[in-house]
């Protein structure tokens, strides 16, 4: 009998895990997951468990400062997940089996971030550095002005990118065009792979708060409609580019945020193509749901719902608000990770 997650994968969805917890990576690999992604919140939550104190002690003994420990620990966890998914990368000739490594969110800190040109330069230098020597590591770059300006050079330099923090078609198109310019500067396209992470549920949180005039039928559907439209644009753009590997959308932020919504709301609506990076709890709930998932990614709500969304949602305003919120959610976890490492350092040093 086919399990719910197996039916999701059978519909055409690649299932990735929004975690690099070694235990969860193994569990979800067994459920059919073929990739994973990391961020500072995930790393901090893992360090809080105490499971990695021995590794922390090693880094402290090696004389690493807190920032270096944060990156060394991220690298360690991502490498561990990469090892699990490396066979997938090999079986698919580079079309799947990736783990995403997020570049420094503090570059986008509104208070402390460096000037634009320095941000761009740092994204390029650090992206090339953390990608070096890895086949199935994606470098996660945000769709901010500096991140977008770094993409062409990163891709031209052979880096596999995951462009994240995308909310609108405008951001997606800028990222895609920069990536394609970089790809065309390579000697060949054999290993050219890019993905674009469109955030879904955060958009519905926004419309609930800021676009109350939407009908009940349209409210809670904007994130889904937006993601499906961008998915369609992406599929259309790449169909004549002769890239051997799929250039795909990642449907991110697929955990529900509104009480009463079923845990599989976004999973079901976007089933059938490309990639979903689901939180562990979402995958667990989906697997327990008993549901069968089929292709819905190219099915849209009724025309009156689409018209209502088009009439009332200002996507330029939506992007501005969600990017401001997103950058705060981007930088604050990195600060919290560094503060946690300082606390762990003090406690571990005192215990010696």
């Amino acid at each position: 009998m086919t399990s719910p997650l197996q039916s999701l994968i059978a519909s055409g969805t690649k299932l990735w895990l929004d975690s690099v917890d070694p235990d969860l990576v193994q569990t979800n690999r067994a459920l059919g997951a073929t990739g994973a992604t990391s961020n500072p919140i995930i790393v901090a939550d893992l360090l809080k468990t105490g499971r990695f104190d021995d590794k922390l002690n090693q880094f402290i003994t090696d004389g690493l400062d807190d920032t270096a420990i944060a990156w060394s620990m991220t690298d360690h966890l991502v490498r561990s997940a990469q090892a699990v998914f490396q066979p997938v990368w090999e079986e698919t000739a580079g079309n799947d089996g990736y783990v995403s490594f997020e570049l420094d969110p503090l570059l986008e800190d509104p208070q402390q971030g460096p000037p634009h040109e320095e941000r761009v330069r740092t994204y390029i230098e650090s992206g090339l550095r953390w990608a070096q020597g890895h086949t199935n590591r994606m470098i996660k770059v945000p769709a901010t002005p500096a991140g977008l300006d770094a993409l062409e050079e990163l891709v031209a330099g052979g880096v596999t990118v995951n462009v994240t923090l995308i909310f609108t078609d405008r951001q997606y198109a800028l990222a895609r065009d920069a990536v394609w310019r970089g790809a065309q500067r390579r000697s060949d396209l054999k290993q050219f792979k890019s993905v674009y992470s469109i955030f879904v549920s955060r958009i519905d949180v926004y419309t609930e708060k800021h676009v109350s005039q939407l009908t009940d039928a349209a409210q809670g559907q904007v994130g889904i409609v937006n993601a499906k439209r961008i998915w369609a644009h992406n599929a259309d753009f790449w169909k004549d580019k002769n890239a051997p590997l799929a250039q795909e959308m990642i449907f991110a932020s697929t955990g529900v945020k509104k009480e009463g919504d079923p845990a599989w709301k976004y999973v079901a609506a976007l089933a059938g193509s490309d990639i979903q990076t689901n939180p562990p709890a979402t995958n667990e709930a989906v697997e327990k749901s008993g549901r069968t998932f089929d292709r819905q990614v190219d099915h849209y709500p009724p025309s009156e719902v689409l018209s209502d969304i088009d009439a009332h949602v200002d996507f330029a305003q939506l992007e501005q608000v969600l990017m401001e919120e997103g950058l705060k959610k981007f930088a604050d976890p990195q600060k919290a990770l560094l503060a946690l490492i300082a606390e762990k350092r003090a406690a571990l040093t005192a215990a010696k």
Side-chain angles (χ1 to χ4, degrees):
M1 184 176 172
T2 302
S3 76
L5 285 176
Q6 286 172 340
S7 74
L8 175 66
I9 294 163
S11 78
T13 291
K14 294 173 183 173
L15 179 65
W16 286 12
L17 178 67
D18 195 16
S19 176
V20 285
D21 181 322
D23 294 345
L24 291 173
V25 166
Q26 293 286 358
T27 301
N28 281 266
R29 177 72 191 103
L31 293 172
T34 53
T37 189
S38 67
N39 62 45
I41 295 176
I42 290 167
V43 175
D45 285 347
L46 287 172
L47 294 191
K48 286 175 187 173
T49 66
R51 289 158 56 197
F52 302 92
D53 283 358
D54 286 348
K55 198 71 182 171
L56 272 174
N57 261 323
Q58 179 190 320
F59 292 143
I60 292 167
T61 303
D62 290 344
L64 274 59
D65 65 19
D66 293 347
T67 298
I69 288 176
W71 290 111
S72 296
M73 185 60 73
T74 300
D75 183 50
H76 169 72
L77 290 164
V78 171
R79 280 175 186 267
S80 173
Q82 282 176 241
V84 174
F85 294 114
Q86 180 73 27
V88 178
W89 185 88
E90 292 169 359
E91 289 160 15
T92 61
N95 212 28
D96 199 358
Y98 289 90
V99 183
S100 290
F101 182 106
E102 189 169 288
L103 297 182
D104 192 354
L106 295 183
L107 289 172
E108 299 294 345
D109 185 356
Q111 281 75 43
Q112 301 172 23
H116 177 81
E117 291 305 323
E118 188 179 335
R119 294 182 194 202
V120 175
R121 187 169 61 251
T122 304
Y123 274 131
I124 295 168
E125 291 171 354
S126 60
L128 289 168
R129 175 194 169 194
W130 289 115
Q132 188 174 9
H134 297 277
T135 54
N136 67 327
R137 174 177 291 189
M138 282 184 164
I139 298 300
K140 200 191 286 190
V141 184
T144 58
L148 292 169
D149 282 354
L151 287 172
E152 181 178 340
E153 290 301 321
L154 284 168
V155 174
V159 175
T160 301
V161 295
N162 171 358
V163 189
T164 189
L165 219 60
I166 296 176
F167 296 103
T168 63
D169 191 65
R170 186 195 80 87
Q171 290 175 288
Y172 155 73
L174 288 170
R176 178 206 64 206
D177 290 349
V179 166
W180 181 229
R181 287 194 303 272
Q184 291 173 288
R185 290 168 53 191
R186 294 187 181 188
S187 58
D188 63 63
L189 297 178
K190 289 177 184 174
Q191 291 302 317
F192 166 55
K193 176 81 178 180
S194 63
V195 298
Y196 306 84
S197 291
I198 176 76
F199 282 57
V200 185
S201 63
R202 287 193 200 179
I203 286 179
D204 290 333
V205 173
Y206 168 88
T207 60
E208 188 91 27
K209 184 175 181 181
H210 298 283
V211 198
S212 58
Q213 62 269 43
L214 285 172
T215 62
D216 289 345
Q219 194 68 265
Q221 291 297 310
V222 181
I224 291 168
V225 169
N226 184 56
K228 289 184 176 187
R229 285 172 166 175
I230 295 174
W231 170 84
H233 291 166
N234 187 63
D236 186 60
F237 178 84
W238 292 109
K239 66 184 178 185
D240 64 352
K241 300 299 185 290
N242 298 317
L245 302 178
Q247 314 302 315
E248 297 176 285
M249 298 306 301
I250 286 183
F251 301 116
S253 180
T254 53
V256 293
K257 303 217 172 25
K258 184 177 179 182
E259 191 175 343
D261 279 346
W264 51 85
K265 172 182 174 179
Y266 298 109
V267 172
L270 299 166
S273 185
D274 291 38
I275 303 160
Q276 292 187 19
T277 53
N278 298 337
T282 298
N283 280 345
E284 190 176 338
V286 167
E287 191 67 348
K288 290 178 178 177
S289 70
R291 297 175 60 86
T292 298
F293 296 88
D294 56 15
R295 185 181 176 96
Q296 295 294 320
V297 69
D298 43 8
H299 297 182
Y300 290 85
S303 58
E304 58 268 24
V305 171
L306 300 179
S307 298
D308 191 37
I309 290 170
D310 292 337
H312 293 113
V313 180
D314 180 341
F315 279 91
Q317 178 68 15
L318 176 151
E319 181 188 316
Q320 181 182 340
V321 171
L322 287 179
M323 281 302 284
E324 286 174 4
E325 292 177 2
L327 290 178
K328 183 172 175 57
K329 290 176 180 176
F330 207 52
D332 285 356
Q334 185 72 10
K335 294 177 186 176
L337 173 59
L338 292 171
L340 174 65
I341 289 170
E343 290 173 20
K344 296 285 280 186
R345 177 194 294 274
L348 291 169
T349 303
K352 286 182 180 178

